[in-house]
Amino acid sequence: MIFNSEDIKLGSFPDNWYEEYKLPRVTKILSFIDSEGLIDWANRMGRCGKDNKEILKNAGDYGTKTHTAIEKFLKYQEEPVDRIIAFDSFKKWYNDVWTKNNITILGQEETLFAKGLFAGTYDLLLNINGKVYLMDFKTSNHVGYKYCMQLAAYRYMLRERKNLEIDGAIVLQVDKNKPKYTEYFLDLSKESDRLYMEDCERAMIMLTMLYHEVYWLKNNFPF
């Protein structure tokens, strides 16, 4: 099946699309770009005698542990038995920001999908002082444009599935080496931030269309 913009506009895909057809996750689609940089990094690791697959696995495991620790803390005030420095970084943000503002959790680790496009699980949806913010936690050393595309995809799904508009988006980079954090904030009441988020959404949809087209070609190779 080949997808086109008319399919998206008409919303011609069934509500059970995710369960029936296993839509690709947003992070899977985003891995479709910047592969050259990843190859260069893997080659550098190889020249240093390091297993790049093992490094990626360890980084992924660490990120999962951090997300799980944050989720349990926010739901049950339960802290991890083993010390996770990135969680300590989140706790510092929590003490600096959460305890000094009126914050309510609207959603946490919720999986959504968009018909014919993608699926994904956002980290946190918050009401902060009367405004709705989408938040994503990152343990990576670098924050780039793809994280904004990821948030734009979640924003798209919240709008499609829940008829919910957000007022802003936050990437919270939690440090893995010492308890500190960096907050990257898009305020959608500012025209420049709103336009950038809309550009990210369009790019995400176009990339998803390309992903589906290539997937179809790969699985219908005639030779």
Side-chain angles (χ1 to χ4, degrees):
M1 180 179 293
I2 298 180
F3 303 86
N4 56 56
S5 58
E6 184 176 329
D7 290 326
I8 298 173
K9 183 173 67 176
L10 294 176
S12 57
F13 293 91
D15 286 341
N16 66 343
W17 176 269
Y18 176 63
E19 293 81 2
E20 185 174 351
Y21 296 100
K22 303 299 183 186
L23 285 172
R25 300 190 75 82
V26 170
T27 49
K28 176 72 172 178
I29 295 169
L30 286 170
S31 67
F32 202 55
I33 54 179
D34 279 355
S35 58
E36 184 176 349
L38 182 59
I39 292 171
D40 289 342
W41 171 81
N43 287 335
R44 288 198 304 273
M45 294 301 99
R47 288 194 294 271
C48 294
K50 299 179 180 179
D51 186 341
N52 66 84
K53 293 181 180 179
E54 186 67 22
I55 294 172
L56 288 173
K57 181 181 182 303
N58 290 338
D61 290 345
Y62 188 87
T64 299
K65 288 180 181 178
T66 302
H67 276 73
T68 300
I70 293 172
E71 181 182 8
K72 288 183 177 180
F73 174 76
L74 292 177
K75 284 183 176 178
Y76 316 111
Q77 294 295 301
E78 176 185 329
E79 300 200 18
V81 176
D82 299 324
R83 187 185 181 197
I84 303 172
I85 296 178
F87 174 73
D88 293 340
S89 298
F90 169 79
K91 284 289 298 292
K92 178 170 174 51
W93 174 85
Y94 182 88
N95 291 326
D96 288 348
V97 177
W98 194 293
T99 57
K100 298 174 184 177
N101 291 275
N102 184 13
I103 300 179
T104 304
I105 296 176
L106 301 177
Q108 187 175 2
E109 297 293 333
E110 181 180 13
T111 299
L112 301 171
F113 71 94
K115 296 176 182 179
L117 290 173
F118 40 60
T121 304
Y122 67 77
D123 289 342
L124 204 57
L125 189 66
L126 300 171
N127 183 309
I128 304 177
N129 300 327
K131 294 187 177 182
V132 179
Y133 294 93
L134 184 62
M135 177 174 249
D136 206 44
F137 309 121
K138 297 298 180 187
T139 57
S140 55
N141 296 324
H142 173 70
V143 170
Y145 71 97
K146 288 202 288 185
Y147 293 151
C148 291
M149 289 179 67
Q150 183 177 0
L151 286 167
Y154 296 153
R155 176 182 179 238
Y156 181 94
M157 290 187 282
L158 284 168
R159 190 167 64 245
E160 181 180 281
R161 305 308 303 171
K162 292 180 171 291
N163 195 30
L164 176 65
E165 286 287 355
I166 63 172
D167 296 296
I170 303 168
V171 176
L172 185 67
Q173 183 185 32
V174 286
D175 198 278
K176 296 179 288 189
N177 300 309
K178 58 181 67 174
K180 65 177 185 177
Y181 63 87
T182 305
E183 193 178 57
Y184 299 88
F185 177 61
L186 284 172
D187 180 358
L188 301 187
S189 67
K190 293 172 55 179
E191 184 178 15
S192 58
D193 287 0
R194 178 179 56 79
L195 291 175
Y196 184 77
M197 180 64 86
E198 289 175 358
D199 285 341
C200 285
E201 182 177 303
R202 280 192 293 271
M204 188 69 212
I205 291 175
M206 287 189 289
L207 179 63
T208 303
M209 301 287 284
L210 176 61
Y211 178 94
H212 283 302
E213 293 279 2
V214 171
Y215 184 85
W216 187 91
L217 293 172
K218 178 181 177 181
N219 286 276
N220 289 274
F221 183 58
F223 305 110

